[in-house]
Amino acid sequence: MLHIDILTVLPDLLKGPFDHSILKRAQQKQLVELAIHNIRDFTTDKHKTTDDYQFGGGAGMVMMIEPIDNCLTNLKLNRTFDEVIYMTPDGEKLNQSIANQLSMKSNIAILCGHYKGVDERVRKHFITKEISIGDYVLSGGELAAAVLVDSIVRLIPGVISDETSALFDSFQDNMLAPPVYTRPEIYNEWQVPEILLSGHFKNIEEWRFNQAIERTKQRRPDLLND
Ligand code: ADE
């Protein structure tokens, strides 16, 4: 089973996303174990300080190394991490291939950054992988971690009831997913494509494949070049 530890100074921000729908069911079915840790619980001073002014001056607080080290050291008593990930806008950009690889690991730790970032020595000595969820800056790594965890967990076999459905997601073959329709067949004179009602499985598959290629060519030609 995949176990994910998340280190944050805002644990409440992360509770919501993991408590619903697919992520909730994955935990109930014991296909994944998610544990949220408050870095503040691993401070040693009476003010429970987790951040401080940056050396050399400049605006913005920096997360201190000691509470993070204490938290990680404590977690390492129970497990050996395959990856210790830091969520940061200057990390490697998340894609389906990274999510696939991480879904096959056993133990992952994810550190959520805040303020100006973390003391560089954390990145140098504790972090094995740095991930960005896109070229924009969030207030903290928590929402980014939730995105990463969601993208990983849904790929674990058994998490999605129809196991094949994750295989047909957009990006799984470097291709976008084809359009889908449901009832009614006609709405405001807008018809569902005839072929989907034909019951002819092979033709439907071929139509979907062609639609996927067409859509990818139009919207994300860069994917076809990969
Ligand atoms: N923290 C702040 N912005 C982020 C981003 N774009 N990706 C990952 N972590 C972040």
Side-chain angles (χ1 to χ4, degrees):
M1 190 199 0
L2 172 61
H3 179 97
I4 304 179
D5 288 302
I6 304 179
L7 290 67
T8 171
V9 289
L10 294 172
D12 289 342
L13 199 49
L14 277 167
K15 283 179 182 140
F18 301 152
D19 234 15
H20 300 277
S21 183
I22 289 177
L23 283 177
K24 180 180 182 179
R25 249 181 296 130
Q27 292 172 87
Q28 286 170 340
K29 287 203 242 170
Q30 304 193 346
L31 297 168
V32 68
E33 222 168 49
L34 301 176
I36 301 169
H37 308 278
N38 191 344
I39 295 168
R40 204 169 294 283
D41 296 338
F42 296 87
T43 52
T44 48
D45 68 313
K46 74 169 187 226
H47 300 294
K48 298 185 179 289
T49 314
T50 58
D51 59 325
D52 209 337
Y53 297 99
Q54 57 176 310
F55 280 126
M61 304 293 272
V62 176
M63 288 173 74
M64 301 163 78
I65 189 168
E66 194 193 358
I68 294 168
D69 186 13
N70 290 344
C71 185
L72 277 174
T73 301
N74 186 265
L75 294 173
K76 284 173 183 169
L77 296 176
N78 297 318
R79 59 192 83 249
T80 307
F81 290 112
D82 301 305
E83 299 284 6
V84 179
I85 299 168
Y86 175 49
M87 303 310 301
T88 174
D90 59 4
E92 183 184 0
K93 204 177 299 170
L94 178 61
N95 57 34
Q96 197 63 29
S97 159
I98 295 176
N100 277 332
Q101 286 162 32
L102 292 174
S103 74
M104 290 182 274
K105 305 286 186 194
S106 304
N107 290 290
I108 297 173
I110 304 174
L111 172 64
C112 305
H114 245 257
Y115 321 106
K116 268 270 152 212
V118 294
D119 188 307
E120 186 66 20
R121 290 166 293 186
V122 169
R123 300 172 70 159
K124 173 137 191 253
H125 299 287
F126 304 143
I127 298 298
T128 62
K129 199 174 189 61
E130 304 192 322
I131 295 180
S132 161
I133 64 162
D135 290 342
Y136 41 84
V137 178
L138 303 167
S139 316
E142 283 76 12
L143 296 179
V147 168
L148 175 63
V149 169
D150 188 302
S151 75
I152 294 170
V153 171
R154 60 195 306 288
L155 293 171
I156 299 170
V159 166
I160 294 181
S161 48
D162 176 17
E163 229 187 87
T164 56
S165 84
L167 295 176
F168 292 117
D169 282 348
S170 280
F171 302 112
Q172 207 54 263
D173 305 307
N174 261 354
M175 264 214 278
L176 301 182
V180 293
Y181 297 85
T182 186
R183 289 190 297 176
E185 280 179 37
I186 302 172
Y187 186 78
N188 283 353
E189 297 177 358
W190 302 320
Q191 268 269 5
V192 170
E194 206 63 53
I195 188 156
L196 296 177
L197 312 172
S198 69
H200 200 302
F201 185 69
K202 194 165 158 286
N203 290 356
I204 291 172
E205 283 303 281
E206 195 177 289
W207 180 86
R208 285 184 172 145
F209 182 72
N210 289 331
Q211 290 283 318
I213 291 191
E214 208 42 52
R215 191 160 268 205
T216 312
K217 265 190 207 157
Q218 274 172 14
R219 300 182 183 202
R220 294 294 306 277
D222 56 299
L223 292 176
L224 294 171
N225 299 331
D226 282 350

